[in-house]
Amino acid sequence: MARPEEHTTRSRDRVGTPWAGEGAGPRAPRPAAYPGRVRARLTGRSAVEHGLRALCLAAALAPLLMLLVVTATLLVSALPAIRFSGLDFFTGRVFSFGNLYGGTPTVHHGVAAPHNASYGAAPLIVGTLLTSVIALVVAVPIAVGGALVLVERIPRRLQGGLSIFLELLAGIPSVVFGLWALLVLGPLLAQHVYPTLARLGVLVPFLRGPVGNGQGLLTASLMLAVMIVPIVAATTRDLLRTVPVLHKEAALALGMTRFEAVRVVTLPFVRNGIAAAAILGWARALGETMAVLMVSGNALNIFPYNLYAPTTTIAATIAAMLDSALTDATGMGVSALAEAGLALLTITLLTNWIGRQIARRTAGVPLPVGRGF
Amino acid sequence: MRSIRRSAADLGFWALCSLGLMMIVGPAVWIVVGLLRSALPLISFRLLAQDTAHLGLQNAIVGTLVLGLGVLVIAGPVGVGAGIYLSEFAGRRLASVARFFPEILAGVPSIVVGYAAYVLLVVRFHWGYSLLAAILAPSALVTPYVVKSTEVALRQLPTSLRDGARALGLPTVTTLRRVLLPPALPGIVNGMVVALAISTGETAPLLYTAGFSDANPTPSLLHHPVGYLTYVVYTDIQLPSARMHQLANAAADVTLLVLLALILVGRLLGYHSARRAARMSL
């Protein structure tokens, strides 16, 4: 398929405006010299077109506006909490709204919060990073391997059919993932897999200890892995189709096995694109809310003591705790959650931006928007 | 002759990759078939006839439909307009900047958008839990999908179409309306289907904008909470009652069926537009 950039506005302007064809004939007066209606006929830009152009420009600016509104709203709302906690937000281990039913409010840095309130988000940040990184480590090999088989070994006719499963995984709502992990995956793992893993704890301390009921760090991570596989796999699939056939054939003609051809030719060609897709998948895992909320075990103020321990994430905490934050008369609870949201927004914006920069600089395939549809 | 070691490595590698593919297909089938098998028997006419207070889903289904319609009304025109601007009006450099923001917006976590909507719309603007807030929050999340698909659908069209329209001296507006948009329509509609699918499955941006209501949605845009399907899944599975669990499963099943239908429609549209584009570029 031809690259879409081929027909640009520039080429249209050259054809559409008679005076732009420089050279032959006497120079036509500049269109600005004519009265409005004549100018409209000469340039082909009527009032209707100007209107449409303006409307479309407004629409094109809407995403930027939405981004600005979201960021500004969170920032303004978070300011009191930022002043109250300072750097304790990142290092503090206790995230508590304090005594919401009485007691004298504590005043700190000129901001009042309920008695005993403390907004330390370290466990949330650690939980967010741990779940998403484990998910990424599990998902990337599966996605890349699956995409390799799909593109390199399976006939083209079947590829489309198998790709439906990627779309399906990308489209399943997060509450349905959560329901599945809560009712099916978690109990299954806790009964049959985790006890075996725990026996390996003799060697690896993080695997030791009680395996719990299947709601916790590892279950949440594995579920997240399933959720981010489609982003990475769909991008890798599209990238693999851009690898020049001649290079692959040359490798095979030299007597390489297909595995060696993949290792020497294909993978170096798509490496950067896969990295970009992985970063995008990571961003999705960082921000996932409902599914994690349902299977993380909703730990409060503890760091996970082993791989099966309950944990929580920033996103899940915001969803879970806003209800009680609303009862905080000082408004500090809502503000602290806004600060957590701001931290999450910053991390995901950065990861998205880095991923897209890598893709723009090095890979020939545009990254999918959002979920990888 | 290849050594046995190299052949074995080759075999092992492809076996591992196949395992990867199975671990993509497997969970998808497992989730869908598992849920359909356990929850299809729970689906009955009763779900449509009763509201959630009486173990039905009427208000949730109606609410999800209304919200989906509202999201299309907001995200549809905005997304299509932005897509047209990116493909037809913006210069190359401006387009690459303007393309960046929808991509970034699509990556913003849904709970963050939901929380901002809560702080701004529900509290600051005094809208309360309301239909309008519950439409605007997911609209922000799914607009990028419509932008992208509109832009791609327009750009895929062969240059000859534009050249022909230009040779006829058609104004840009007429070119768009009569020449470019009709063949691009399946692709654009596909983007809306994706947007609808994603907004149907979302919960996080609705938690604190829609609230929840056991009654059917009212025509008033403000101050009246709205019920929706995914909330029932999330909430009722945590309630200590087998019948509530069944209701959650049934709600998940209905959501999944809607999604499957939308994915199917999207597939057909995508197939249709690809064939059309291929036919025209000859």
Side-chain angles (χ1 to χ4, degrees):
Chain A
M1 195 187 354
R3 287 186 63 87
E5 258 98 355
E6 239 65 298
H7 26 76
T8 63
T9 18
R10 252 169 256 168
S11 73
R12 185 190 48 228
D13 280 348
R14 213 180 304 130
V15 179
T17 48
W19 59 87
E22 255 100 333
R27 234 183 124 93
R30 289 186 49 76
Y34 292 111
R37 270 176 70 187
V38 183
R39 185 167 77 223
R41 284 192 69 177
L42 271 178
T43 60
R45 283 194 191 173
S46 59
V48 182
E49 194 196 326
H50 276 293
L52 182 72
R53 219 172 229 273
L55 276 180
C56 289
L57 178 63
L61 290 177
L64 174 62
L65 185 75
M66 293 171 188
L67 271 174
L68 288 179
V69 168
V70 167
T71 315
T73 307
L74 284 180
L75 193 62
V76 169
S77 174
L79 274 179
I82 294 174
R83 279 177 61 194
F84 183 83
S85 344
L87 283 178
D88 287 350
F89 178 78
F90 296 103
T91 54
R93 292 170 162 230
V94 177
F95 195 94
S96 157
F97 292 141
N99 184 355
L100 298 176
Y101 305 101
T104 337
T106 323
V107 178
H108 198 54
H109 297 301
V111 193
H115 186 62
N116 268 343
S118 158
Y119 307 111
L124 314 182
I125 296 171
V126 168
T128 307
L129 292 178
L130 267 180
T131 47
S132 58
V133 167
I134 296 175
L136 197 63
V137 168
V138 174
V140 169
I142 291 178
V144 173
L148 271 172
V149 168
L150 189 69
V151 176
E152 304 274 330
R153 302 307 292 264
I154 288 178
R156 190 107 202 184
R157 268 178 300 130
L158 293 179
Q159 287 180 20
L162 281 169
S163 292
I164 289 188
F165 291 104
L166 286 181
E167 268 172 54
L168 198 60
L169 273 188
I172 293 176
S174 49
V175 279
V176 172
F177 273 112
L179 199 68
W180 169 70
L182 182 70
L183 300 180
V184 183
L185 182 67
L188 186 87
L189 290 174
Q191 270 179 16
H192 301 293
V193 181
Y194 292 170
T196 319
L197 266 184
R199 254 172 245 136
L200 294 174
V202 184
L203 306 170
V204 193
F206 212 55
L207 295 176
R208 219 174 284 161
V211 296
N213 62 354
Q215 296 180 34
L217 180 58
L218 190 54
T219 310
S221 306
L222 292 177
M223 178 198 63
L224 280 176
V226 178
M227 297 176 82
I228 62 176
V229 151
I231 301 177
V232 187
T235 317
T236 309
R237 178 197 59 198
D238 296 346
L239 279 165
L240 288 174
R241 288 182 178 154
T242 64
V243 177
V245 183
L246 279 180
H247 293 206
K248 280 193 274 188
E249 284 177 351
L252 294 177
L254 286 173
M256 290 187 191
T257 61
R258 277 171 178 265
F259 165 49
E260 286 157 348
V262 163
R263 212 180 56 198
V264 178
V265 176
T266 311
L267 281 184
F269 196 85
V270 298
R271 203 170 38 204
N272 290 321
I274 293 176
I279 293 175
L280 220 61
W282 187 37
R284 168 129 164 77
L286 284 168
E288 177 50 45
T289 312
M290 301 312 294
V292 175
L293 183 59
M294 290 167 86
V295 293
S296 64
N298 286 319
L300 209 56
N301 305 331
I302 53 160
F303 292 109
Y305 44 83
N306 66 13
L307 207 51
Y308 329 100
T311 183
T312 190
T313 66
I314 299 177
T317 304
I318 297 174
M321 291 179 83
L322 185 56
D323 259 339
S324 46
L326 296 180
T327 59
D328 183 345
T330 62
M332 195 54 92
V334 173
S335 179
L337 289 182
E339 189 178 1
L342 196 63
L344 181 62
L345 179 68
T346 314
I347 302 175
T348 46
L349 285 186
L350 271 180
T351 44
N352 262 294
W353 183 71
I354 293 171
R356 294 197 181 275
Q357 283 301 323
I358 294 178
R360 189 154 304 168
R361 296 269 163 81
T362 57
V365 168
L367 287 181
V369 167
R371 294 235 202 136
F373 256 100
Chain B
M1 258 308 270
R2 283 172 189 165
S3 71
I4 294 177
R5 202 175 56 81
R6 286 173 61 211
S7 300
D10 189 52
L11 197 69
F13 176 76
W14 289 110
L16 280 179
C17 286
S18 309
L19 194 68
L21 186 62
M22 276 187 255
M23 289 174 87
I24 295 173
V25 176
V29 175
W30 189 7
I31 294 172
V32 172
V33 174
L35 185 62
L36 290 184
R37 263 183 53 182
S38 69
L40 265 186
L42 302 174
I43 289 187
S44 62
F45 181 70
R46 179 193 162 73
L47 291 178
L48 265 179
Q50 300 281 353
D51 59 28
T52 37
H54 301 94
L55 293 175
L57 287 172
Q58 193 191 48
N59 55 321
I61 292 173
V62 176
T64 295
L65 287 178
V66 171
L67 288 175
L69 200 67
V71 167
L72 281 188
V73 167
I74 305 271
V78 174
V80 171
I84 290 178
Y85 188 83
L86 288 180
S87 139
E88 303 300 312
F89 295 137
R92 194 179 286 226
R93 179 171 284 171
L94 183 60
S96 86
V97 175
R99 202 169 292 133
F100 181 68
F101 294 111
E103 285 176 355
I104 293 290
L105 182 64
V108 173
S110 51
I111 185 69
V112 170
V113 173
Y115 195 81
Y118 168 78
V119 170
L120 188 70
L121 306 177
V122 175
V123 177
R124 189 71 52 83
F125 290 179
H126 300 289
W127 288 2
Y129 291 147
S130 59
L131 188 59
L132 193 57
I135 287 172
L136 286 180
S139 293
L141 284 170
V142 301
T143 303
Y145 297 93
V146 186
V147 178
K148 186 80 186 177
S149 60
T150 304
E151 192 200 346
V152 169
L154 283 172
R155 276 164 167 255
Q156 262 180 356
L157 299 176
T159 327
S160 54
L161 273 185
R162 289 157 210 272
D163 291 345
R166 243 169 266 146
L168 289 172
L170 292 185
T172 313
V173 179
T174 318
T175 308
L176 260 176
R177 209 185 58 207
R178 307 287 294 269
V179 181
L180 299 179
L181 282 182
L185 202 59
I188 297 174
V189 176
N190 188 15
M192 297 212 196
V193 170
V194 169
L196 188 60
I198 289 176
S199 78
T200 306
E202 279 292 0
T203 320
L206 298 177
L207 269 183
Y208 294 105
T209 50
F212 189 79
S213 160
D214 280 330
N216 281 332
T218 55
S220 61
L221 284 174
L222 304 179
H223 307 299
H224 289 272
V226 190
Y228 51 97
L229 279 168
T230 46
Y231 181 91
V232 181
V233 183
Y234 163 63
T235 315
D236 283 30
I237 200 64
Q238 301 178 10
L239 298 176
S241 134
R243 304 186 69 183
M244 296 292 186
H245 287 191
Q246 286 180 358
L247 193 64
N249 270 303
D253 216 21
V254 175
T255 318
L256 196 63
L257 286 176
V258 172
L259 266 161
L260 290 178
L262 287 175
I263 288 177
L264 199 67
V265 171
R267 271 261 153 176
L268 289 176
L269 283 167
Y271 179 70
H272 191 59
S273 73
R275 284 228 359 216
R276 210 174 219 192
R279 208 163 52 221
M280 276 192 309
S281 56
L282 281 178

